[in-house]
Amino acid sequence: MNSLPPLIPVVASTIGYHFEALFWYIMVVCTLGGLGVYAALLYFCVAYRRGTTTGSTPRILGSHRLELAWTIIPTIIFFSFFGWGAVVYTKAMHPPQDAMEVFVIGKQWMWKAQYPNGQRVIIGGNPRNMTEAERKSIGKLVLPVDRPVRITMISEDVIHDFGVPAFRMKMDVLPGRYTTTWYHPTKTGEFHIFCDQYCGTWHSLMVGKIAVVGQQEFDEWLG
């Protein structure tokens, strides 16, 4: 019997922890803010409901303190979202100088990965639509744990999107233009790869796995 998926998906990269913290900060603040608005709405509906007496509505003058409070406080909160998000985005867009590089090509409907030494891997796709050489290269994208890896990508045909939920990263893969992302895996194991951009009939076949292994096992595999 298959177990249910976890409530919070596994986080397996350094950037993933930054994204996760920012996500939950925004989630908690927005939830508390929404509950506060609904609580105030319910209170006002009960406290200021129309009574049995009739008459004109009394004149109510505004409060400068109240106006300043509900303008300044949300502004500070929203700027905290922006500031924190800018810091995380900057980290995500600037890989370390010593990052190992892997090249990935998106093609309807598979991923082609190549390492600096020429090692190649085909990820996803329909074997019936592949050449004999491609079928022999079907496998997983293998990465070493605790080591930064830069992924440089391009598409052969349409727009794809290389997404790894466990790393909390996704990047558009464009025809005629290189895009990059990077990971610093923190856990060994296997993690899903998806194409997060609908790219045609067999879009659902552009799935695969990233295997994060120890450095020694990675060197043996790469050799």
Side-chain angles (χ1 to χ4, degrees):
M1 181 177 179
N2 295 328
S3 59
L4 294 175
L7 181 62
I8 301 175
V10 63
V11 182
S13 73
T14 53
I15 289 295
Y17 292 106
H18 292 290
F19 275 109
E20 195 75 1
L22 175 60
F23 170 81
W24 285 109
Y25 169 65
I26 296 175
M27 175 70 75
V28 170
V29 171
C30 291
T31 300
L32 293 177
L35 291 176
V37 169
Y38 284 117
L41 179 63
L42 179 61
Y43 170 77
F44 293 148
C45 286
V46 174
Y48 298 104
R49 66 189 184 280
R50 169 174 276 188
T52 55
T53 60
T54 59
S56 60
T57 302
R59 184 185 180 194
I60 301 175
L61 299 176
S63 167
H64 292 298
R65 291 182 178 179
L66 185 60
E67 294 283 353
L68 288 172
W70 68 36
T71 300
I72 294 174
I73 293 175
T75 300
I76 293 174
I77 293 174
F78 292 143
F79 268 106
S80 73
F81 294 168
F82 171 80
W84 194 346
V87 171
V88 174
Y89 177 81
T90 301
K91 289 179 181 292
M93 292 296 106
H94 294 85
Q97 294 295 325
D98 60 344
M100 181 186 76
E101 190 154 32
V102 177
F103 300 93
V104 172
I105 297 175
K107 174 187 176 182
Q108 293 175 314
W109 289 272
M110 69 183 79
W111 302 105
K112 299 179 179 181
Q114 181 169 322
Y115 293 79
N117 70 340
Q119 176 83 293
R120 296 182 180 183
V121 179
I122 299 296
I123 306 163
N126 186 347
R128 290 178 297 179
N129 297 330
M130 297 181 187
T131 65
E132 183 63 26
E134 288 175 338
R135 281 195 290 269
K136 290 180 179 179
S137 300
I138 294 175
K140 304 168 187 174
L141 182 64
V142 181
L143 301 179
V145 70
D146 293 326
R147 180 179 173 186
V149 179
R150 171 176 169 155
I151 310 292
T152 300
M153 300 169 286
I154 195 169
S155 171
E156 284 190 6
D157 34 52
V158 299
I159 298 176
H160 301 284
D161 192 295
F162 195 79
V164 186
F167 294 167
R168 302 299 191 268
M169 289 289 287
K170 52 180 286 188
M171 179 60 68
D172 282 345
V173 183
L174 309 173
R177 176 181 172 185
Y178 289 104
T179 56
T180 61
T181 188
W182 72 280
Y183 314 125
H184 189 138
T186 58
K187 296 179 180 178
T188 57
E190 293 188 355
F191 309 102
H192 291 286
I193 299 172
F194 295 104
C195 178
D196 289 335
Q197 176 71 44
Y198 180 71
C199 56
T201 306
W202 298 110
H203 162 72
S204 59
L205 294 180
M206 288 191 72
V207 296
K209 294 287 185 69
I210 286 181
V212 179
V213 299
Q215 185 64 52
Q216 181 177 353
E217 184 178 348
F218 174 76
D219 291 337
E220 293 173 355
W221 175 86
L222 192 63

